[in-house]
Short mmCIF file of all heavy atoms in Angstrom, two decimals:
data_model
loop_
_atom_site.label_atom_id
_atom_site.label_comp_id
_atom_site.label_asym_id
_atom_site.label_seq_id
_atom_site.Cartn_x
_atom_site.Cartn_y
_atom_site.Cartn_z
N MET A 1 -36.49 92.21 49.12
CA MET A 1 -35.14 92.51 49.50
C MET A 1 -35.17 93.79 50.36
O MET A 1 -35.63 94.81 49.93
CB MET A 1 -34.33 92.74 48.24
CG MET A 1 -32.98 93.19 48.45
SD MET A 1 -32.23 93.40 46.77
CE MET A 1 -30.59 93.21 47.15
N PRO A 2 -34.69 93.70 51.56
CA PRO A 2 -34.68 94.89 52.48
C PRO A 2 -33.77 95.95 52.04
O PRO A 2 -32.69 95.70 51.46
CB PRO A 2 -34.25 94.28 53.81
CG PRO A 2 -33.54 93.04 53.51
CD PRO A 2 -34.08 92.53 52.21
N ARG A 3 -34.17 97.20 52.24
CA ARG A 3 -33.32 98.33 51.90
C ARG A 3 -32.63 98.75 53.20
O ARG A 3 -33.21 98.77 54.26
CB ARG A 3 -34.17 99.51 51.41
CG ARG A 3 -34.89 99.14 50.13
CD ARG A 3 -34.26 99.83 48.98
NE ARG A 3 -34.98 99.49 47.76
CZ ARG A 3 -34.37 99.44 46.62
NH1 ARG A 3 -33.10 99.65 46.50
NH2 ARG A 3 -35.03 99.16 45.56
N TYR A 4 -31.41 99.20 53.08
CA TYR A 4 -30.70 99.69 54.23
C TYR A 4 -29.69 100.71 53.74
O TYR A 4 -29.37 100.81 52.57
CB TYR A 4 -29.98 98.54 54.96
CG TYR A 4 -29.05 97.75 54.10
CD1 TYR A 4 -27.69 98.09 53.99
CD2 TYR A 4 -29.47 96.66 53.35
CE1 TYR A 4 -26.83 97.41 53.19
CE2 TYR A 4 -28.62 95.99 52.51
CZ TYR A 4 -27.31 96.35 52.45
OH TYR A 4 -26.46 95.63 51.64
N SER A 5 -29.16 101.46 54.67
CA SER A 5 -28.20 102.48 54.29
C SER A 5 -26.84 102.12 54.90
O SER A 5 -26.76 101.50 55.96
CB SER A 5 -28.64 103.88 54.74
OG SER A 5 -28.74 103.89 56.14
N LEU A 6 -25.81 102.50 54.20
CA LEU A 6 -24.45 102.32 54.66
C LEU A 6 -23.81 103.67 54.83
O LEU A 6 -24.05 104.57 54.03
CB LEU A 6 -23.67 101.50 53.67
CG LEU A 6 -24.16 100.06 53.44
CD1 LEU A 6 -23.38 99.43 52.30
CD2 LEU A 6 -23.99 99.21 54.69
N PRO A 7 -22.94 103.83 55.80
CA PRO A 7 -22.27 105.11 55.94
C PRO A 7 -21.30 105.34 54.77
O PRO A 7 -20.71 104.44 54.21
CB PRO A 7 -21.49 104.98 57.26
CG PRO A 7 -21.37 103.52 57.47
CD PRO A 7 -22.54 102.87 56.79
N ILE A 8 -21.16 106.63 54.40
CA ILE A 8 -20.20 107.01 53.37
C ILE A 8 -18.80 106.92 54.04
O ILE A 8 -18.58 107.50 55.08
CB ILE A 8 -20.48 108.43 52.87
CG1 ILE A 8 -21.89 108.52 52.28
CG2 ILE A 8 -19.44 108.89 51.88
CD1 ILE A 8 -22.11 107.72 51.03
N ARG A 9 -17.91 106.21 53.37
CA ARG A 9 -16.60 105.92 53.99
C ARG A 9 -15.58 107.06 53.80
O ARG A 9 -14.76 107.32 54.66
CB ARG A 9 -16.03 104.64 53.41
CG ARG A 9 -16.87 103.42 53.77
CD ARG A 9 -16.28 102.18 53.16
NE ARG A 9 -16.06 102.26 51.73
CZ ARG A 9 -16.88 101.68 50.87
NH1 ARG A 9 -17.86 100.95 51.23
NH2 ARG A 9 -16.63 101.82 49.55
N ASP A 10 -15.60 107.66 52.62
CA ASP A 10 -14.61 108.72 52.31
C ASP A 10 -15.08 109.53 51.13
O ASP A 10 -16.16 109.29 50.60
CB ASP A 10 -13.22 108.06 52.07
CG ASP A 10 -13.26 106.97 51.01
OD1 ASP A 10 -14.09 107.01 50.08
OD2 ASP A 10 -12.39 106.08 51.05
N LYS A 11 -14.25 110.41 50.66
CA LYS A 11 -14.63 111.29 49.49
C LYS A 11 -14.88 110.46 48.24
O LYS A 11 -15.77 110.78 47.47
CB LYS A 11 -13.57 112.34 49.29
CG LYS A 11 -13.58 113.42 50.34
CD LYS A 11 -12.55 114.47 50.05
CE LYS A 11 -12.54 115.52 51.12
NZ LYS A 11 -11.59 116.63 50.88
N ALA A 12 -14.04 109.47 48.03
CA ALA A 12 -14.20 108.65 46.83
C ALA A 12 -15.53 107.88 46.86
O ALA A 12 -16.24 107.77 45.83
CB ALA A 12 -13.06 107.69 46.67
N ASP A 13 -15.90 107.40 48.04
CA ASP A 13 -17.20 106.69 48.17
C ASP A 13 -18.36 107.67 47.98
O ASP A 13 -19.35 107.31 47.34
CB ASP A 13 -17.23 106.03 49.55
CG ASP A 13 -18.38 105.09 49.76
OD1 ASP A 13 -18.74 104.36 48.80
OD2 ASP A 13 -18.95 105.05 50.83
N TYR A 14 -18.22 108.87 48.49
CA TYR A 14 -19.26 109.92 48.30
C TYR A 14 -19.43 110.18 46.82
O TYR A 14 -20.59 110.25 46.29
CB TYR A 14 -18.91 111.17 49.09
CG TYR A 14 -19.87 112.30 48.85
CD1 TYR A 14 -21.08 112.31 49.55
CD2 TYR A 14 -19.59 113.31 47.95
CE1 TYR A 14 -22.01 113.31 49.35
CE2 TYR A 14 -20.54 114.33 47.75
CZ TYR A 14 -21.71 114.34 48.43
OH TYR A 14 -22.60 115.34 48.24
N ARG A 15 -18.34 110.34 46.13
CA ARG A 15 -18.40 110.63 44.68
C ARG A 15 -19.06 109.46 43.92
O ARG A 15 -19.88 109.70 43.03
CB ARG A 15 -17.00 110.92 44.15
CG ARG A 15 -16.92 111.26 42.68
CD ARG A 15 -17.73 112.54 42.42
NE ARG A 15 -17.74 112.92 41.02
CZ ARG A 15 -17.14 113.98 40.54
NH1 ARG A 15 -16.44 114.75 41.33
NH2 ARG A 15 -17.22 114.25 39.29
N ALA A 16 -18.69 108.23 44.31
CA ALA A 16 -19.27 107.07 43.64
C ALA A 16 -20.77 107.01 43.86
O ALA A 16 -21.54 106.73 42.92
CB ALA A 16 -18.64 105.79 44.18
N HIS A 17 -21.26 107.32 45.08
CA HIS A 17 -22.69 107.32 45.33
C HIS A 17 -23.38 108.45 44.55
O HIS A 17 -24.47 108.29 44.02
CB HIS A 17 -22.94 107.48 46.82
CG HIS A 17 -22.80 106.21 47.60
ND1 HIS A 17 -21.57 105.74 47.98
CD2 HIS A 17 -23.67 105.32 48.00
CE1 HIS A 17 -21.73 104.64 48.63
NE2 HIS A 17 -23.00 104.34 48.69
N THR A 18 -22.76 109.61 44.51
CA THR A 18 -23.31 110.74 43.76
C THR A 18 -23.38 110.40 42.27
O THR A 18 -24.44 110.66 41.63
CB THR A 18 -22.46 112.00 43.97
OG1 THR A 18 -22.37 112.26 45.38
CG2 THR A 18 -23.08 113.19 43.29
N ASP A 19 -22.34 109.82 41.73
CA ASP A 19 -22.37 109.41 40.32
C ASP A 19 -23.49 108.40 40.10
O ASP A 19 -24.25 108.53 39.08
CB ASP A 19 -21.06 108.76 39.94
CG ASP A 19 -19.88 109.70 39.85
OD1 ASP A 19 -20.10 110.91 39.91
OD2 ASP A 19 -18.75 109.22 39.70
N TYR A 20 -23.66 107.48 40.96
CA TYR A 20 -24.68 106.42 40.77
C TYR A 20 -26.08 107.00 40.79
O TYR A 20 -26.92 106.65 39.97
CB TYR A 20 -24.52 105.38 41.94
CG TYR A 20 -25.45 104.24 41.76
CD1 TYR A 20 -25.20 103.22 40.88
CD2 TYR A 20 -26.65 104.16 42.53
CE1 TYR A 20 -26.06 102.18 40.74
CE2 TYR A 20 -27.50 103.09 42.40
CZ TYR A 20 -27.20 102.09 41.49
OH TYR A 20 -28.07 101.05 41.34
N VAL A 21 -26.32 107.95 41.67
CA VAL A 21 -27.62 108.63 41.74
C VAL A 21 -27.89 109.37 40.46
O VAL A 21 -29.02 109.29 39.91
CB VAL A 21 -27.72 109.56 42.93
CG1 VAL A 21 -28.90 110.50 42.87
CG2 VAL A 21 -27.76 108.76 44.23
N HIS A 22 -26.92 110.06 39.91
CA HIS A 22 -27.14 110.84 38.71
C HIS A 22 -27.30 109.99 37.46
O HIS A 22 -27.98 110.37 36.51
CB HIS A 22 -25.99 111.84 38.54
CG HIS A 22 -26.06 112.92 39.53
ND1 HIS A 22 -24.99 113.26 40.33
CD2 HIS A 22 -27.05 113.77 39.89
CE1 HIS A 22 -25.34 114.24 41.14
NE2 HIS A 22 -26.61 114.57 40.90
N ILE A 23 -26.72 108.80 37.43
CA ILE A 23 -26.82 107.98 36.23
C ILE A 23 -28.09 107.15 36.22
O ILE A 23 -28.51 106.65 35.19
CB ILE A 23 -25.58 107.06 36.11
CG1 ILE A 23 -25.32 106.68 34.67
CG2 ILE A 23 -25.66 105.82 36.98
CD1 ILE A 23 -24.92 107.79 33.78
N ASN A 24 -28.82 107.02 37.34
CA ASN A 24 -30.00 106.16 37.41
C ASN A 24 -31.08 106.46 36.38
O ASN A 24 -31.63 105.51 35.79
CB ASN A 24 -30.61 106.16 38.79
CG ASN A 24 -30.07 105.07 39.67
OD1 ASN A 24 -29.67 104.03 39.16
ND2 ASN A 24 -30.02 105.32 40.97
N PRO A 25 -31.43 107.71 36.06
CA PRO A 25 -32.44 107.93 35.00
C PRO A 25 -32.05 107.37 33.68
O PRO A 25 -32.87 106.90 32.89
CB PRO A 25 -32.61 109.44 34.97
CG PRO A 25 -32.16 109.89 36.31
CD PRO A 25 -31.07 108.95 36.73
N VAL A 26 -30.72 107.39 33.41
CA VAL A 26 -30.22 106.83 32.13
C VAL A 26 -30.32 105.32 32.19
O VAL A 26 -30.83 104.65 31.29
CB VAL A 26 -28.78 107.27 31.86
CG1 VAL A 26 -28.21 106.62 30.62
CG2 VAL A 26 -28.67 108.81 31.75
N LYS A 27 -29.84 104.77 33.30
CA LYS A 27 -29.84 103.32 33.48
C LYS A 27 -31.20 102.71 33.33
O LYS A 27 -31.32 101.62 32.78
CB LYS A 27 -29.23 103.03 34.84
CG LYS A 27 -29.07 101.58 35.20
CD LYS A 27 -28.45 101.46 36.53
CE LYS A 27 -28.27 99.99 36.85
NZ LYS A 27 -27.58 99.83 38.12
N HIS A 28 -32.19 103.40 33.79
CA HIS A 28 -33.56 102.86 33.74
C HIS A 28 -34.36 103.30 32.52
O HIS A 28 -35.58 103.13 32.41
CB HIS A 28 -34.30 103.22 35.01
CG HIS A 28 -33.70 102.56 36.24
ND1 HIS A 28 -33.85 101.22 36.48
CD2 HIS A 28 -32.88 103.01 37.19
CE1 HIS A 28 -33.15 100.87 37.56
NE2 HIS A 28 -32.58 101.98 38.01
N GLY A 29 -33.64 103.91 31.55
CA GLY A 29 -34.28 104.23 30.29
C GLY A 29 -35.20 105.43 30.27
O GLY A 29 -35.98 105.57 29.32
N LEU A 30 -35.09 106.28 31.29
CA LEU A 30 -36.00 107.42 31.34
C LEU A 30 -35.52 108.58 30.44
O LEU A 30 -36.27 109.41 29.99
CB LEU A 30 -36.15 107.93 32.77
CG LEU A 30 -36.78 106.89 33.68
CD1 LEU A 30 -36.69 107.30 35.12
CD2 LEU A 30 -38.20 106.63 33.31
N VAL A 31 -34.19 108.65 30.27
CA VAL A 31 -33.55 109.66 29.39
C VAL A 31 -32.34 109.01 28.75
O VAL A 31 -31.83 107.96 29.17
CB VAL A 31 -33.15 110.88 30.18
CG1 VAL A 31 -34.30 111.72 30.70
CG2 VAL A 31 -32.18 110.53 31.32
N GLU A 32 -31.82 109.67 27.70
CA GLU A 32 -30.65 109.17 27.04
C GLU A 32 -29.34 109.72 27.64
O GLU A 32 -28.27 109.07 27.54
CB GLU A 32 -30.68 109.51 25.56
CG GLU A 32 -31.75 108.73 24.82
CD GLU A 32 -31.69 108.96 23.31
OE1 GLU A 32 -30.66 109.40 22.82
OE2 GLU A 32 -32.69 108.66 22.66
N ARG A 33 -29.39 110.88 28.20
CA ARG A 33 -28.24 111.53 28.80
C ARG A 33 -28.60 112.04 30.19
O ARG A 33 -29.72 112.44 30.47
CB ARG A 33 -27.77 112.75 28.01
CG ARG A 33 -27.38 112.43 26.57
CD ARG A 33 -26.98 113.65 25.75
NE ARG A 33 -27.89 114.80 25.98
CZ ARG A 33 -27.50 115.99 26.38
NH1 ARG A 33 -26.22 116.26 26.59
NH2 ARG A 33 -28.35 116.95 26.54
N VAL A 34 -27.61 112.05 31.08
CA VAL A 34 -27.80 112.50 32.45
C VAL A 34 -28.39 113.94 32.44
O VAL A 34 -29.32 114.24 33.17
CB VAL A 34 -26.49 112.50 33.24
CG1 VAL A 34 -26.65 113.14 34.60
CG2 VAL A 34 -25.98 111.03 33.39
N ALA A 35 -27.89 114.79 31.56
CA ALA A 35 -28.34 116.19 31.49
C ALA A 35 -29.80 116.33 31.05
O ALA A 35 -30.41 117.40 31.23
CB ALA A 35 -27.41 116.94 30.56
N ASP A 36 -30.42 115.25 30.52
CA ASP A 36 -31.79 115.35 30.04
C ASP A 36 -32.79 115.16 31.17
O ASP A 36 -33.98 115.39 30.95
CB ASP A 36 -32.03 114.26 28.96
CG ASP A 36 -31.27 114.52 27.70
OD1 ASP A 36 -30.81 115.67 27.46
OD2 ASP A 36 -31.06 113.56 26.93
N TRP A 37 -32.40 114.73 32.36
CA TRP A 37 -33.28 114.50 33.45
C TRP A 37 -33.47 115.86 34.20
O TRP A 37 -32.57 116.30 34.89
CB TRP A 37 -32.77 113.43 34.44
CG TRP A 37 -33.69 112.99 35.45
CD1 TRP A 37 -33.53 113.19 36.84
CD2 TRP A 37 -34.94 112.33 35.34
NE1 TRP A 37 -34.59 112.67 37.50
CE2 TRP A 37 -35.50 112.14 36.63
CE3 TRP A 37 -35.68 111.87 34.22
CZ2 TRP A 37 -36.69 111.53 36.83
CZ3 TRP A 37 -36.89 111.24 34.47
CH2 TRP A 37 -37.37 111.07 35.73
N PRO A 38 -34.62 116.47 34.10
CA PRO A 38 -34.78 117.83 34.64
C PRO A 38 -34.84 117.91 36.17
O PRO A 38 -34.69 118.97 36.71
CB PRO A 38 -36.10 118.29 34.02
CG PRO A 38 -36.88 117.07 33.74
CD PRO A 38 -35.84 116.02 33.45
N TYR A 39 -35.11 116.81 36.84
CA TYR A 39 -35.28 116.82 38.28
C TYR A 39 -34.00 116.54 39.10
O TYR A 39 -34.03 116.44 40.29
CB TYR A 39 -36.32 115.78 38.68
CG TYR A 39 -37.55 115.87 37.85
CD1 TYR A 39 -37.79 114.92 36.85
CD2 TYR A 39 -38.43 116.93 37.95
CE1 TYR A 39 -38.94 115.01 36.06
CE2 TYR A 39 -39.54 117.04 37.17
CZ TYR A 39 -39.79 116.04 36.21
OH TYR A 39 -40.89 116.18 35.37
N SER A 40 -32.88 116.48 38.40
CA SER A 40 -31.62 116.07 39.02
C SER A 40 -30.85 117.23 39.63
O SER A 40 -30.86 118.33 39.08
CB SER A 40 -30.76 115.40 37.96
OG SER A 40 -29.53 114.99 38.54
N THR A 41 -30.13 116.93 40.69
CA THR A 41 -29.20 117.94 41.28
C THR A 41 -27.96 118.06 40.36
O THR A 41 -27.14 118.96 40.58
CB THR A 41 -28.71 117.50 42.64
OG1 THR A 41 -28.12 116.23 42.57
CG2 THR A 41 -29.86 117.54 43.66
N PHE A 42 -27.85 117.20 39.35
CA PHE A 42 -26.78 117.26 38.43
C PHE A 42 -26.62 118.66 37.84
O PHE A 42 -25.48 119.18 37.69
CB PHE A 42 -27.03 116.24 37.28
CG PHE A 42 -26.05 116.30 36.15
CD1 PHE A 42 -24.75 115.78 36.34
CD2 PHE A 42 -26.36 116.88 34.94
CE1 PHE A 42 -23.84 115.84 35.28
CE2 PHE A 42 -25.47 116.90 33.92
CZ PHE A 42 -24.21 116.40 34.07
N HIS A 43 -27.67 119.31 37.48
CA HIS A 43 -27.67 120.64 36.87
C HIS A 43 -27.01 121.69 37.80
O HIS A 43 -26.25 122.52 37.36
CB HIS A 43 -29.04 121.10 36.46
CG HIS A 43 -29.70 120.10 35.58
ND1 HIS A 43 -29.34 119.89 34.27
CD2 HIS A 43 -30.72 119.22 35.82
CE1 HIS A 43 -30.11 118.91 33.74
NE2 HIS A 43 -30.94 118.49 34.70
N ARG A 44 -27.32 121.60 39.07
CA ARG A 44 -26.73 122.53 40.03
C ARG A 44 -25.20 122.26 40.16
O ARG A 44 -24.42 123.17 40.28
CB ARG A 44 -27.40 122.37 41.38
CG ARG A 44 -26.89 123.34 42.43
CD ARG A 44 -27.65 123.29 43.72
NE ARG A 44 -28.06 121.90 44.00
CZ ARG A 44 -28.36 121.47 45.19
NH1 ARG A 44 -28.36 122.25 46.22
NH2 ARG A 44 -28.74 120.20 45.37
N LEU A 45 -24.86 120.96 40.14
CA LEU A 45 -23.45 120.61 40.24
C LEU A 45 -22.64 120.96 39.00
O LEU A 45 -21.47 121.30 39.05
CB LEU A 45 -23.33 119.13 40.59
CG LEU A 45 -23.89 118.72 41.93
CD1 LEU A 45 -23.87 117.24 42.15
CD2 LEU A 45 -23.16 119.43 43.07
N VAL A 46 -23.28 120.94 37.85
CA VAL A 46 -22.65 121.41 36.63
C VAL A 46 -22.38 122.91 36.76
O VAL A 46 -21.29 123.39 36.48
CB VAL A 46 -23.49 121.12 35.36
CG1 VAL A 46 -23.02 121.91 34.16
CG2 VAL A 46 -23.51 119.63 35.05
N GLY A 47 -23.38 123.64 37.25
CA GLY A 47 -23.25 125.08 37.46
C GLY A 47 -22.12 125.40 38.43
O GLY A 47 -21.51 126.49 38.35
N GLY A 48 -21.91 124.53 39.39
CA GLY A 48 -20.87 124.75 40.39
C GLY A 48 -19.50 124.21 39.94
O GLY A 48 -18.54 124.26 40.72
N GLY A 49 -19.37 123.68 38.75
CA GLY A 49 -18.12 123.20 38.23
C GLY A 49 -17.73 121.82 38.71
O GLY A 49 -16.59 121.42 38.48
N ILE A 50 -18.63 121.11 39.31
CA ILE A 50 -18.34 119.77 39.85
C ILE A 50 -18.32 118.73 38.70
O ILE A 50 -17.45 117.85 38.69
CB ILE A 50 -19.34 119.36 40.94
CG1 ILE A 50 -19.38 120.39 42.07
CG2 ILE A 50 -19.02 117.95 41.47
CD1 ILE A 50 -18.09 120.60 42.78
N TYR A 51 -19.33 118.81 37.84
CA TYR A 51 -19.46 117.90 36.67
C TYR A 51 -19.42 118.72 35.41
O TYR A 51 -19.94 119.84 35.37
CB TYR A 51 -20.81 117.20 36.71
CG TYR A 51 -20.98 116.05 37.73
CD1 TYR A 51 -21.69 116.27 38.89
CD2 TYR A 51 -20.47 114.82 37.47
CE1 TYR A 51 -21.88 115.27 39.80
CE2 TYR A 51 -20.64 113.77 38.34
CZ TYR A 51 -21.34 114.01 39.52
OH TYR A 51 -21.54 113.02 40.43
N PRO A 52 -18.81 118.17 34.34
CA PRO A 52 -18.96 118.80 33.04
C PRO A 52 -20.39 118.55 32.50
O PRO A 52 -20.99 117.51 32.84
CB PRO A 52 -17.90 118.10 32.17
CG PRO A 52 -17.74 116.80 32.80
CD PRO A 52 -17.98 116.97 34.28
N PRO A 53 -20.92 119.43 31.65
CA PRO A 53 -22.28 119.26 31.14
C PRO A 53 -22.49 117.92 30.42
O PRO A 53 -23.61 117.40 30.41
CB PRO A 53 -22.45 120.43 30.21
CG PRO A 53 -21.48 121.45 30.62
CD PRO A 53 -20.33 120.65 31.20
N ASP A 54 -21.46 117.38 29.82
CA ASP A 54 -21.61 116.16 29.07
C ASP A 54 -21.13 114.92 29.84
O ASP A 54 -20.79 113.90 29.28
CB ASP A 54 -20.88 116.26 27.73
CG ASP A 54 -19.37 116.46 27.91
OD1 ASP A 54 -18.93 116.74 29.05
OD2 ASP A 54 -18.62 116.34 26.91
N TRP A 55 -21.09 115.01 31.13
CA TRP A 55 -20.59 113.91 32.00
C TRP A 55 -21.28 112.61 31.65
O TRP A 55 -22.50 112.59 31.48
CB TRP A 55 -20.86 114.27 33.45
CG TRP A 55 -20.43 113.18 34.39
CD1 TRP A 55 -19.19 112.88 34.80
CD2 TRP A 55 -21.27 112.23 35.05
NE1 TRP A 55 -19.21 111.79 35.63
CE2 TRP A 55 -20.48 111.40 35.80
CE3 TRP A 55 -22.65 112.06 35.07
CZ2 TRP A 55 -21.00 110.37 36.55
CZ3 TRP A 55 -23.19 111.00 35.81
CH2 TRP A 55 -22.35 110.20 36.59
N ALA A 56 -20.52 111.56 31.51
CA ALA A 56 -20.98 110.20 31.23
C ALA A 56 -21.52 110.06 29.83
O ALA A 56 -21.70 108.95 29.38
CB ALA A 56 -21.99 109.70 32.25
N GLY A 57 -21.76 111.12 29.12
CA GLY A 57 -22.19 111.07 27.76
C GLY A 57 -23.44 110.25 27.50
O GLY A 57 -23.72 109.84 26.41
N GLY A 58 -24.18 109.95 28.59
CA GLY A 58 -25.38 109.14 28.44
C GLY A 58 -25.10 107.69 28.39
O GLY A 58 -26.00 106.90 28.17
N TYR A 59 -23.86 107.27 28.68
CA TYR A 59 -23.55 105.87 28.68
C TYR A 59 -23.06 105.40 30.03
O TYR A 59 -21.93 105.60 30.40
CB TYR A 59 -22.45 105.57 27.63
CG TYR A 59 -22.08 104.10 27.57
CD1 TYR A 59 -23.02 103.14 27.19
CD2 TYR A 59 -20.85 103.68 27.95
CE1 TYR A 59 -22.69 101.84 27.16
CE2 TYR A 59 -20.47 102.37 27.89
CZ TYR A 59 -21.41 101.42 27.50
OH TYR A 59 -21.08 100.10 27.50
N GLU A 60 -23.96 104.88 30.82
CA GLU A 60 -23.67 104.53 32.18
C GLU A 60 -22.66 103.37 32.30
O GLU A 60 -21.97 103.26 33.28
CB GLU A 60 -24.93 104.23 32.99
CG GLU A 60 -25.70 103.03 32.51
CD GLU A 60 -25.41 101.76 33.30
OE1 GLU A 60 -24.82 101.86 34.38
OE2 GLU A 60 -25.70 100.71 32.77
N GLY A 61 -22.52 102.56 31.27
CA GLY A 61 -21.56 101.45 31.29
C GLY A 61 -20.14 101.91 31.48
O GLY A 61 -19.29 101.22 31.98
N ALA A 62 -19.85 103.15 31.02
CA ALA A 62 -18.52 103.68 31.11
C ALA A 62 -18.11 103.88 32.58
O ALA A 62 -16.89 103.96 32.86
CB ALA A 62 -18.39 104.99 30.34
N LEU A 63 -19.07 103.99 33.48
CA LEU A 63 -18.73 104.23 34.86
C LEU A 63 -18.45 102.99 35.65
O LEU A 63 -17.87 103.01 36.73
CB LEU A 63 -19.87 105.01 35.54
CG LEU A 63 -20.17 106.38 34.96
CD1 LEU A 63 -21.41 106.96 35.54
CD2 LEU A 63 -18.99 107.29 35.13
N GLY A 64 -18.86 101.85 35.15
CA GLY A 64 -18.61 100.58 35.81
C GLY A 64 -19.52 100.27 37.02
O GLY A 64 -19.15 99.52 37.84
N TYR A 65 -20.64 100.94 37.08
CA TYR A 65 -21.57 100.70 38.17
C TYR A 65 -22.58 99.65 37.78
O TYR A 65 -23.10 99.67 36.68
CB TYR A 65 -22.30 101.94 38.65
CG TYR A 65 -21.41 103.00 39.12
CD1 TYR A 65 -21.43 104.30 38.56
CD2 TYR A 65 -20.50 102.79 40.12
CE1 TYR A 65 -20.62 105.31 39.07
CE2 TYR A 65 -19.66 103.77 40.59
CZ TYR A 65 -19.71 105.04 40.04
OH TYR A 65 -18.87 105.97 40.52
N GLY A 66 -22.89 98.75 38.64
CA GLY A 66 -23.94 97.78 38.38
C GLY A 66 -24.76 97.55 39.64
O GLY A 66 -24.39 98.02 40.71
N ASP A 67 -25.88 96.96 39.46
CA ASP A 67 -26.75 96.68 40.64
C ASP A 67 -26.39 95.42 41.30
O ASP A 67 -26.02 94.44 40.81
CB ASP A 67 -28.24 96.68 40.26
CG ASP A 67 -28.76 98.10 40.16
OD1 ASP A 67 -28.19 98.99 40.71
OD2 ASP A 67 -29.78 98.24 39.47
#
């Protein structure tokens, strides 16, 4: 399956893509909570007040994203 990129359409689309990237380690079983993945930009965004520390609570199904 070829990979390609699509332009970000608006702020809501940007947020959806950012959420999806941060939830991937949980989705793939690498960690139980988003905050447990040490390599994520999530931590910087929590520090900047963009996300709460317990965002998604480790349950990616609540966001409604699928592959």
Side-chain angles (χ1 to χ4, degrees):
M1 174 180 205
R3 299 252 181 212
Y4 56 93
S5 62
L6 297 173
I8 301 294
R9 297 181 303 257
D10 54 27
K11 288 181 181 182
D13 191 39
Y14 177 80
R15 182 62 181 248
H17 281 81
T18 303
D19 289 351
Y20 184 78
V21 166
H22 289 125
I23 206 68
N24 268 332
V26 175
K27 182 177 182 177
H28 294 286
L30 299 170
V31 292
E32 290 186 19
R33 298 177 319 124
V34 173
D36 294 340
W37 187 246
Y39 312 107
S40 179
T41 57
F42 174 75
H43 306 288
R44 183 174 37 158
L45 296 173
V46 166
I50 305 298
Y51 285 102
D54 62 348
W55 177 78
Y59 180 64
E60 64 96 18
L63 298 173
Y65 298 125
D67 279 339

